[in-house]
C-alpha cells in the first residue's frame, strides 16, 4: 500500500534522468562505435552527499550506504529524498519503521515531505511491482536486511535473502534507470549478512564513519564507478538532523592548552580536502608476554611496521611495551601519510616528552627508514598555516621552495633525522 503524501507529476527533468539506455536486445559492437551521452547527473541538493557520489546522482546507479545502527543512515536518506523530490519522483521503501515513524521523523527534520512517496513493504516482488506502477526516479530501500524474496525459503536477513533480494532490485534499477539507494547495517561482530556481500553488485559503496555518540558523521566512498573514491562528506548530527559541514578541516581537532606527550597533529588528505586530526599514542610497560598493539582509526599492520622501523633504524625497542594508537574523533585515516605521525606519537609517549602543540606532521615512512613524500604537500601545509600552526615536520621532498607564510618547515629524509630533530 503506498501512503500517499502527494502525487508528483513527472517533471521535465524526468526525461533527461531516464538515463540507462535499457537492455532491449544487446548486440556485439566495436567499443569505439559506442558514443556515450554525457552522464545525466542530478544534484541531490545535499552538497556533501553530491560530493561523495562524484558530483551528483547518476540514473540507473545503485548506491549502498552502510554503517552502524543509529549512525544516521535513515536520517540522511530522508533528508536527501525530500531535497531531491522537487526535481525527481521519489519513493521511500521502509521495512524497519512504520509510516508513522517515518512521518514523525520528517516532521522533526522539518523537511518538505509533500512529494516523497512512501511504501511500507519488505517483499522484493511486491516492492518491484509497486515501483513499476509508481515509476520513481529515485528510490530508497531502508534496509536490505529486512527484505525477503519469495524465491528463497530462508529467513529475512540471511545472506542468501539479502543477496538475492538486492540482486533483483539492482536488475530493476539497471532496467528502468531508477537511481537506487540501499541501506545496510554493519554490525560490530563480523557483518555476516551485512552489506559487504553486496559490494560487488552495486556501483557505489558509501560507509558512515564516526563515533555514534559524537557529533560528527563522515561518509566515505570506498567504491565508486561514477567518481573518485575516498572522497569524504562531513555532517554534524543536530536536533534537526544532519547538517553539512562545509569546511571540515579542523572539526576533529581538540587543541590542548599545554603540550601533551603522545599527541601529534596530522594533516591528512582524504579525498580532495585536507583535514587536521590528532593522533594519540600510549606506550606503556606490558604485563603480557605478547604486548598489545592496538590501533583505532588506523591500519593495524602499519603500526607493526612502524615499530619495526623504529627499532631497526632508530634503535628504539618497544617489544616489552603495550602500544595503543588512536585517531581522535572516530575518523579513519587510510593513507600512508599518517606513518610519521604514528611514529612520533609513539616515540613521544615512550619518552614521555611532549611535542610542541603548534606542530603538524605528515609523511610516509618506508621500510628502509626513508621518509617518503606524499601527494598535495603544499595544500596540507597551507591548511595548517591557515589554522594557526607554526611548525611542520614533513618529508624533505614535500618542503615547498617558496616556503609558507607563518610556518617554519623542517624537512626530513631519513628516520635518523627525525630522531635528531626530537633529541
Ligand atoms: P537513524 O537515521 O535512525 O540511524 P540509522 O538509520 O543509521 O540506524 O539515526 C538515529 C539517530 O540519530 C538517533 O540516535 C537519534 C539521532 N537523531 C538526531 O540526533 N537528530 C535528528 O534530527 C534525528 C532524526 C535523529
Ligand atoms: Mg534506520
Amino acid at each position: 500500500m503506498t501512503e500517499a503524501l502527494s502525487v508528483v507529476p513527472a517533471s521535465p527533468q524526468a526525461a533527461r534522468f531516464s538515463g540507462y539506455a535499457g537492455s532491449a536486445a544487446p548486440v556485439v559492437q566495436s567499443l569505439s562505435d559506442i558514443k556515450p551521452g554525457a552522464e545525466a547527473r542530478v544534484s541531490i541538493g545535499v552538497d556533501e552527499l553530491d560530493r561523495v557520489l562524484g558530483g551528483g546522482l547518476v540514473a540507473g546507479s545503485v548506491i549502498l550506504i552502510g554503517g552502524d545502527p543509529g549512525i544516521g543512515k535513515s536520517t540522511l536518506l530522508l533528508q536527501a529524498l525530500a531535497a531531491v523530490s522537487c526535481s525527481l519522483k521519489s519513493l521511500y521503501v521502509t521495512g524497519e519503521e512504520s509510516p508513522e515513524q517515518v512521518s514523525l521523523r520528517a516532521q522533526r527534520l522539518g523537511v518538505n515531505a509533500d512529494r516523497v512517496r512512501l511504501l511500507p513493504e519488505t517483499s522484493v516482488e511486491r516492492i518491484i511491482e509497486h515501483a513499476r506502477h509508481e515509476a520513481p526516479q529515485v528510490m530508497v530501500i531502508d534496509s536490505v536486511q529486512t527484505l525477503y524474496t519469495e524465491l528463497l525459503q530462508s529467513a529475512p536477513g540471511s545472506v542468501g535473502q539479502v543477496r538475492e533480494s538486492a540482486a533483483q532490485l539492482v536488475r530493476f534499477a539497471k532496467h528502468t534507470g531508477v537511481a537506487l539507494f540501499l541501506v545496510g547495517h554493519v554490525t560490530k561482530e563480523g557483518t555476516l549478512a551485512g552489506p559487504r556481500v553486496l559490494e560487488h553488485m552495486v556501483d557505489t559503496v558509501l560507509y558512515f564513519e564516526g563515533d555514534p555518540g559524537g557529533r560528527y558523521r563522515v561518509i566515505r566512498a570506498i567504491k565508486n564507478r561514477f567518481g573518485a573514491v575516498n572522497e569524504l562528506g562531513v555532517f554534524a548530527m543536530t536536533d534537526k538532523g544532519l547538517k553539512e559541514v562545509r569546511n571540515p578541516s579542523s572539526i576533529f581537532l581538540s587543541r590542548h592548552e599545554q603540550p601533551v606527550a603522545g599527541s601529534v597533529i596530522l594533516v591528512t588528505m582524504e579525498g580532495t580536502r585536507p583535514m587536521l586530526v590528532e593522533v594519540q599514542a600510549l606506550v606503556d610497560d606490558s604485563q603480557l608476554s605478547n604486548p598489545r598493539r592496538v590501533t583505532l582509526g588506523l591500519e593495524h599492520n602499519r603500526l607493526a611496521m612502524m615499530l619495526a622501523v623504529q627499532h631497526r633504524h632508530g634503535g628504539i625497542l618497544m617489544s616489552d611495551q603495550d602500544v595503543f594508537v588512536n585517531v581522535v574523533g572516530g575518523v579513519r585515516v587510510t593513507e600512508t601519510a599518517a606513518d610519521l605521525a604514528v611514529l612520533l606519537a609513539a616515540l613521544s609517549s615512550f619518552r614521555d616528552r611532549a611535542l610542541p602543540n603548534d606542530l603538524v606532521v605528515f609523511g610516509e615512512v618506508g621500510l628502509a627508514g626513508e621518509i617518503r613524500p606524499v601527494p598535495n604537500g603544499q595544500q596540507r601545509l597551507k591548511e595548517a598555516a591557515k589554522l594557526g600552526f607554526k611548525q611542520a615536520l614533513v618529508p624533505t621532498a614535500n618542503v615547498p621552495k617558496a616556503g609558507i607564510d607563518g610556518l617554519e618547515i623542517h624537512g626530513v629524509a631519513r628516520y635518523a633525522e627525525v630522531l635528531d630533530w626530537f633529541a
Side-chain angles (χ1 to χ4, degrees), residues 165-367:
S165 304
Q168 287 192 37
L169 287 164
V170 170
R171 277 198 295 277
F172 176 74
K174 295 297 166 194
H175 202 76
T176 58
V178 58
L180 179 65
F181 285 95
L182 301 174
V183 174
H185 296 290
V186 181
T187 52
K188 289 263 155 49
E189 57 285 350
T191 77
L192 198 61
R196 297 229 158 231
V197 298
L198 305 179
E199 284 178 359
H200 65 281
M201 278 190 223
V202 301
D203 299 305
T204 303
V205 179
L206 307 180
Y207 275 108
F208 262 98
E209 293 173 7
D211 169 10
R215 179 173 152 75
Y216 293 104
R217 303 284 187 274
V218 174
I219 298 182
R220 185 192 301 268
I222 62 156
K223 164 181 172 180
N224 195 352
R225 290 186 183 144
F226 301 110
V229 287
N230 271 342
E231 193 61 81
L232 299 187
V234 185
F235 296 88
M237 183 59 95
T238 67
D239 57 351
K240 285 232 175 306
L242 290 159
K243 289 264 180 311
E244 301 175 62
V245 179
R246 282 173 207 278
N247 190 0
S249 64
S250 63
I251 55 171
F252 293 107
L253 215 53
S254 50
R255 300 291 269 276
H256 298 282
E257 290 291 310
Q258 298 296 321
V260 184
S263 159
V264 173
I265 307 298
L266 160 71
V267 193
T268 174
M269 189 94 193
E270 299 286 344
T272 49
R273 288 184 296 200
M275 216 155 74
L276 281 83
V277 295
E278 180 182 348
V279 176
Q280 289 188 338
L282 179 67
V283 179
D284 198 19
D285 292 340
S286 180
Q287 311 301 323
L288 305 168
S289 54
N290 259 333
R292 304 195 64 187
R293 304 277 178 258
V294 179
T295 57
L296 279 176
L298 288 158
E299 207 199 321
H300 186 255
N301 288 337
R302 218 65 213 167
L303 172 62
M305 258 173 72
M306 288 307 111
L307 295 179
V309 169
Q310 191 150 62
H311 179 224
R312 182 63 185 272
H313 300 283
I316 298 162
L317 188 61
M318 295 188 183
S319 59
D320 56 349
Q321 304 282 316
D322 289 328
V323 182
F324 304 90
V325 186
N326 176 36
V327 182
V328 177
V331 249
R332 271 197 72 76
V333 178
T334 52
E335 57 162 9
T336 51
D339 290 353
L340 193 54
V342 170
L343 267 181
L344 269 176
L347 190 61
S348 155
S349 173
F350 185 55
R351 292 188 170 165
D352 199 16
R353 263 187 51 205
L355 292 150
N357 61 354
D358 58 359
L359 172 82
V360 293
V361 169
F362 59 83
E364 179 177 337
V365 180
L367 288 179

Side-chain angles (χ1 to χ4, degrees), residues 68-75 105 108-109 237-241:
D68 295 335
I71 193 115
K73 301 179 292 297
S74 306
T75 305
R105 173 176 295 138
R108 176 166 171 199
L109 295 171
M237 183 59 95
T238 67
D239 57 351
K240 285 232 175 306

